[in-house]
Amino acid sequence: MGEMILLLREVRKDEASSEALHKRLSIINNLMNDQNLENGVELGLLTEFIQILIFFMNVCEPKECEKEFRLTVHCFAYCFKSIVAIDSFILLPDGLSTVVKIIEENKDKEILMNAIRVIKNCLRSKREYILILRQVPKLFTTLLKYTATEIYGESIIEKTMEALRNFTRKTEGLETIEDPKELEPLCRIALTESDAKYRNSVILVLRNCCKKQELLKYIKSTKAYELVLKYNNNY
C-alpha cells in the first residue's frame, strides 16, 4: 500500500512523460483491491487522488493526458466501494467540489459515469447526505443539467437517475429544488422514452419528488403523474 501512495505522488511530478504517467497509473490500478483499499484510505489515499485530479485539470493539457485522467477517475471511483472511503471523502478539502467540477467540465462518458458513481454512493449515507447538501445545495440541478440528457446515452442517464433517487429520497434534498419546472426534463423522458431501460428509474425519481407539495402539483399538471400512479399500483 505504501507503494501505491508513492506512485500517486510520483504522478504529480509534471516532468513525467505521458507514457510514464500511464505506466504508473496502470500499476496503481492493478494494486486496487478491497484489502489494499481499506489500508490505503487510512494512509491518505483519497487525498492523493484528489490532488492528482486537480493536477490533471489545472496543469495538464486535456488532450495530452486524457487517457491518464480517465484512468485516475476510474481508480478513484473504485475507492467508494469502501464505507471508510465514503466516510472520509466528504470531509476532505476540495473533495466534493472536484468531483462536481469533473461532472460540469467533462463530456467523456466513462469519466462522467465514474464521477456520478462517487456522488451516488456518498448520497447513501445519512451523514454524507447532509454534508453534501450543505456543500452543493444545487446538486440536483447540476446532475440534471450536465448528465440527464439523451446525448450521453442510456448508461449515463441510468446512473444519473440512481444518484437522483438517492438524492430525492429525503425531504432535505427536495427542499433544495426551488423551481418545480426543473422536473420538466424528467417528465419529458418518462413520457417519451417508453422503451428506455432507465424509464422506471426516472419514474421513481418523480415518485420521490411527489413528497413535496409544490413538486407534486407540477407533476400532476403533466401526464407523467399517470405513470407514477401506474407504477405505484403495479409495485
Side-chain angles (χ1 to χ4, degrees):
M1 180 45 56
E3 179 186 0
M4 188 187 297
I5 299 292
L6 290 174
L7 283 166
L8 285 168
R9 290 173 181 169
E10 285 291 317
V11 169
R12 298 210 309 266
K13 291 185 177 180
D14 54 12
E15 69 268 16
S17 66
S18 176
E19 183 179 349
L21 286 175
H22 193 79
K23 183 177 181 180
R24 288 169 184 160
L25 287 166
S26 295
I27 295 172
I28 292 166
N29 186 45
N30 291 333
L31 288 171
M32 296 293 286
N33 58 54
D34 292 347
Q35 182 177 358
N36 282 341
L37 182 56
E38 295 289 341
N39 295 331
V41 170
E42 294 179 1
L43 292 172
L45 182 64
L46 292 177
T47 298
E48 296 297 332
F49 270 124
I50 290 295
Q51 292 304 312
I52 292 171
L53 292 172
I54 293 172
F55 167 77
F56 279 133
M57 289 190 288
N58 295 339
V59 178
C60 291
E61 290 293 330
K63 291 184 179 180
E64 293 179 2
C65 60
E66 185 177 8
K67 291 190 299 182
E68 291 73 28
F69 185 61
R70 187 183 298 118
L71 185 53
T72 302
V73 176
H74 170 78
C75 293
F76 177 68
Y78 181 90
C79 294
F80 291 82
K81 293 178 64 177
S82 164
I83 296 298
V84 176
I86 293 173
D87 289 341
S88 303
F89 167 70
I90 203 66
L91 301 176
L92 293 177
D94 300 320
L96 184 59
S97 61
T98 298
V99 176
V100 172
K101 188 176 180 181
I102 289 172
I103 291 172
E104 292 175 342
E105 296 184 357
N106 276 273
K107 297 187 183 302
D108 182 277
K109 290 183 180 181
E110 184 179 341
I111 290 173
L112 280 174
M113 179 74 77
N114 282 311
I116 296 166
R117 182 177 289 118
V118 171
I119 297 293
K120 183 200 77 170
N121 287 350
C122 287
L123 284 170
R124 288 175 178 170
S125 166
K126 182 176 181 179
R127 185 177 79 115
E128 273 63 48
Y129 183 96
I130 298 301
L131 291 173
I132 287 173
L133 288 186
R134 290 174 183 171
Q135 294 184 36
V136 192
K138 294 297 183 181
L139 182 60
F140 184 88
T141 303
T142 297
L143 290 174
L144 274 184
K145 179 178 180 180
Y146 290 100
T147 63
T149 170
E150 290 87 339
I151 65 172
Y152 291 121
E154 289 192 352
S155 59
I156 295 293
I157 296 179
E158 176 67 29
K159 189 61 63 177
T160 299
M161 291 308 127
E162 290 175 7
L164 290 179
R165 281 171 60 188
N166 287 347
F167 182 88
T168 55
R169 64 191 169 87
K170 292 183 177 294
T171 55
E172 292 94 333
L174 295 176
E175 289 302 318
T176 68
I177 308 173
E178 297 176 355
D179 184 0
K181 291 182 180 179
E182 287 192 64
L183 301 183
E184 188 278 331
L186 297 178
C187 294
R188 174 173 48 79
I189 291 173
L191 289 167
T192 60
E193 302 294 325
S194 58
D195 296 327
K197 294 179 181 179
Y198 51 79
R199 190 192 191 203
N200 277 352
S201 295
V202 175
I203 294 172
L204 284 172
V205 173
L206 290 173
R207 185 177 71 169
N208 286 347
C209 289
C210 288
K211 291 181 288 187
K212 181 178 179 179
Q213 286 302 312
E214 293 87 346
L215 302 182
L216 172 61
K217 183 178 179 180
Y218 178 81
I219 296 169
K220 280 186 172 181
S221 72
T222 75
K223 292 185 178 180
Y225 186 62
E226 297 175 12
L227 298 176
V228 174
L229 292 177
K230 183 178 179 181
Y231 187 93
N232 288 339
N233 291 334
N234 290 339
Y235 296 91

